[in-house]
Amino acid sequence: MEAVADLASFDEIHRRFAEHGQEHVFRFWDRLDPARQVRLLAQAARIDLDALERRFAATRELARPGRRHLEPADIVRLPAHGGSPETFERAARLGSDLLAAGRVAVMVVAGGQGTRLGFSGPKGTFPIGPVSGRSLFQAQAQKIRAMTRRYGRSIPWYIMTSPATDRETKQFFESNEYFELSRKDVFFFEQPTVPAVDFEGRLILEAPDRIFESPNGHGGSIPALVDSGAVADMRARGVDTLFYYQVDNPLVRIEDPAYLGLHAEVAAEMSCKVVPKRDPDEKMGVVALVDGRLGIVEYTELEDRYRHARTPAGDLLFWAGNIAVHIFDLAFIERVAERADELLPYHASAKKIPYVDPEGRRVEPDEPTGLKFERFVFDALPAASRARVVEANREEEYAPVKNATGADSPQTAREALDRLYRRWLREAGIEELEAGLWVEIDHAFANGPEDLRARGIRSIAEAGAGIRVGPRGRR
Ligand code: UTP
């Protein structure tokens, strides 16, 4: 009966789409069987065409050059770059107290489609471990278990999926028994999708009965945290501070008391971590004062006059590349979610979007065919009344897995992991390892050189499965 009722709404929905110049999405209607007609109609009924038009018009404005004036922002530098070691030590004590008091939760955004990597499953399931092949999710779970042990309390983990990743992600956690975490401390929530358009603003059919949609960007996490009940769950646990990171950075330091302390000591509403950009063209957003307010400009939207600006000493003026590791005050999340339409605009980027040819066959294009819309989480930053920007050591904290080969690939990430673990071994006074091998440390076993020292390990062999060594090369 429901199917009939749905089909009965065809005329009305078709009229609405025709009024917006979008009736082409029904061009295969007569060839679809009733079940597929219902599917298309149900999807069409959900789409807010006024919002779509507004979004399409607004993205042109966002991309207009000369729109914004940028100045360098105030950044807490690492001691190696002139920052004060005492500042970091003091902050680390404060951050440890927050963790021990159970006021901190951790969240990861894992709803992206990982198109550049070209891996068939959700990125979090990608086998990144240089020796064990452990997945990105497993390595993150190991880090959270290390924190649970150190601070003597569970650290809740909120995982954002999207319709593109949700089912497989949950199955992966199930089949791996939640990586020895307690199920009640792992909370999945889903972000919504938004339709893409071609360069004229028309919806794109990816199948005769399906309009192409994609996850609405990492910025979709802020409203989704509230809508899903994740924020309410945090409140019930006594959490007021949320540590945010992306699923595809295997070096992410999830336990970072100094960063937490730097955020908390100024009662910041949002904080950001940055590393010096390698070169002007590195694909990272930069933190800057944007028209006088702290903000982040995505690399796709950074004008050349700022991208290449240099100091008199020849350094990049806008050097502070955003590594997408944030801390949020929970009340700030709630405030931004309430004003999401205003504070989290959609940004458009040209992508290769599959479409159907006149016969209804799917075409995978080699060139961009349209615009995907995404919200950026860092667009919340200017709304923060207090914010902190903290420099991180790239070697220790940032090695994203974006591309299948070359820069920012699994190979470069594994090399970075190997270098990190070798440094830990060295700092803990453990034997040096020959160059032809890869080493991997289970974070739940030791999450830094101090843990290795505390365990009293003098050789790799003594660590058992905690430290693994294997042949170096491509996995
Ligand atoms: P990217 O913007 O690098 O996208 O996401 P991606 O999906 O990983 O890869 P490409 O661009 O398709 O190749 C950065 C982080 O934000 C998450 C991703 O899962 C990743 O952790 N993300 C991105 C979401 O959770 N939802 C989105 O809609 C987009």
Side-chain angles (χ1 to χ4, degrees), residues 109-116 123 160 191 215 217-218 246-247 402:
V109 287
Q113 292 168 305
T115 33
R116 285 169 289 172
K123 243 192 207 178
M160 184 173 84
Q191 67 178 126
H218 37 62
Q246 299 189 336
V247 76
K402 298 288 183 194

Side-chain angles (χ1 to χ4, degrees), residues 109 218 244-246 252 273 321-326 377-378 398:
V109 287
H218 37 62
Y244 167 109
Y245 68 96
Q246 299 189 336
V252 63
K273 262 200 178 176
N322 167 38
I323 63 167
V325 174
H326 301 296
V377 73
F378 50 74
Y398 187 60

Side-chain angles (χ1 to χ4, degrees), residues 57-241:
T59 51
R60 297 188 170 171
E61 172 62 16
L62 274 177
R64 193 163 57 80
R67 200 174 60 91
R68 297 176 286 203
H69 175 73
L70 266 56
E71 284 169 71
D74 224 7
I75 294 168
V76 181
R77 300 297 308 248
L78 284 172
H81 294 150
S84 132
E86 293 75 39
T87 302
F88 278 82
E89 282 156 24
R90 190 191 59 228
R93 285 193 295 275
L94 176 57
S96 297
D97 290 347
L98 292 178
L99 285 160
R103 287 174 53 189
V104 182
V106 166
M107 78 169 276
V108 58
V109 287
Q113 292 168 305
T115 33
R116 285 169 289 172
L117 183 60
F119 175 63
S120 60
K123 243 192 207 178
T125 68
F126 186 85
I128 196 64
V131 183
S132 69
R134 73 182 170 202
S135 60
L136 284 158
F137 280 135
Q138 180 173 4
Q140 293 160 21
Q142 289 176 350
K143 293 178 189 182
I144 292 172
R145 280 167 51 213
M147 293 166 78
T148 302
R149 195 184 57 236
R150 190 171 343 261
Y151 298 99
R153 59 187 315 148
S154 58
I155 308 282
W157 189 16
Y158 297 83
I159 299 172
M160 184 173 84
T161 62
S162 69
T165 64
D166 187 65
R167 197 175 46 87
E168 266 188 271
T169 301
K170 287 176 179 160
Q171 276 171 359
F172 192 70
F173 273 75
E174 281 297 333
S175 57
N176 287 287
E177 292 170 357
Y178 281 65
F179 308 105
E180 298 177 51
L181 290 166
S182 162
R183 274 164 198 257
K184 67 170 182 30
D185 297 325
V186 181
F187 188 112
F188 294 98
F189 67 106
E190 210 179 1
Q191 67 178 126
T193 53
V194 281
V197 292
D198 66 15
F199 296 112
E200 274 73 54
R202 288 152 44 100
L203 292 163
I204 298 171
L205 278 185
E206 62 169 322
D209 62 344
R210 199 164 55 247
I211 298 164
F212 181 89
E213 294 189 56
S214 55
N216 71 341
H218 37 62
S221 62
I222 294 184
L225 277 165
V226 174
D227 296 344
S228 65
V231 167
D233 186 75
M234 290 177 211
R235 290 248 181 252
R237 291 169 188 260
V239 166
D240 58 15
T241 305

Side-chain angles (χ1 to χ4, degrees), residues 342-353:
E342 166 201 351
L343 298 177
L344 301 173
Y346 278 93
H347 300 250
S349 49
K351 301 271 172 165
K352 299 170 198 163
I353 299 169

